Every structure is written in C-alpha cells, then in structure tokens.
Amino acid sequence: GAGVDFESVRKRAVESGAVTAEQAPALNESDLREMLFSPGFSTAATPSDSGGRGVGLDSVKSATDFLGGELKLETTAGKGTRIRLFVPEKWPG
C-alpha cells in the first residue's frame, strides 16, 4: 500500500458528517488514525465487493477491545501501513 493519506481521511470525515469543516483542520494525526477505526468510516469513494464499507478496521478494533488488547497503526506515506495487535495472554471470560 501507499500508507495512510491523512488529508483524504480528514476530507472523508467532513463528507461523512463525523466532524464539521470548521473542526477538521484541528484534527491531528492521532485523531485521524482513530477515525479509521470508527464504525462505518471508509476512505473509499464507492464500496466494492472486497471493501470500502467501513467494516473491517472497526471489527478488528472491537475484537481487540473485547480481548483487552491494543492496536497500533504505523504508517509512512508512500511506503505502507502496519497494524500491530497486542492481546493479553489470558482473555477475559
């Protein structure tokens, strides 16, 4: 991949109504990273059979939270993105 384009995330956040155009410039990279894991959020202009519906990352975050774990998203423009999952050795429940 090409890494996360944070300006595209910011633009889609406004288009989706997650934030207002006035709020968008104040979002930092950490805020925009979190936006990627929001239910229904997608940077895709149109959904396809393989993605773009805003379900994938939200599901991963929900499952990780349920297990008491943590997600770390590392991205470099033009190089790619890595999402690391950390889960406890013993799960709740």
Side-chain angles (χ1 to χ4, degrees), residues 67-90:
L67 296 172
E70 179 182 3
L71 285 170
K72 293 199 182 214
L73 184 140
E74 302 161 353
T75 187
T76 303
K79 293 198 174 191
T81 300
R82 177 187 308 180
I83 298 175
R84 297 188 309 161
L85 306 172
F86 300 89
V87 293
E89 200 170 311
K90 293 193 177 200

Side-chain angles (χ1 to χ4, degrees), residues 8-60:
S8 289
V9 175
R10 188 183 317 275
K11 180 181 174 189
R12 293 295 292 164
V14 172
E15 291 170 353
S16 71
V19 297
T20 66
E22 293 77 22
Q23 294 168 322
L27 297 174
N28 60 35
E29 279 191 16
S30 179
D31 298 328
L32 295 169
R33 285 174 204 261
E34 287 300 313
M35 189 78 57
L36 294 172
F37 296 99
S38 299
F41 188 83
S42 177
T43 57
T46 56
S48 69
D49 289 339
S50 61
R53 293 177 300 280
V55 176
L57 290 177
D58 170 40
S59 296
V60 172

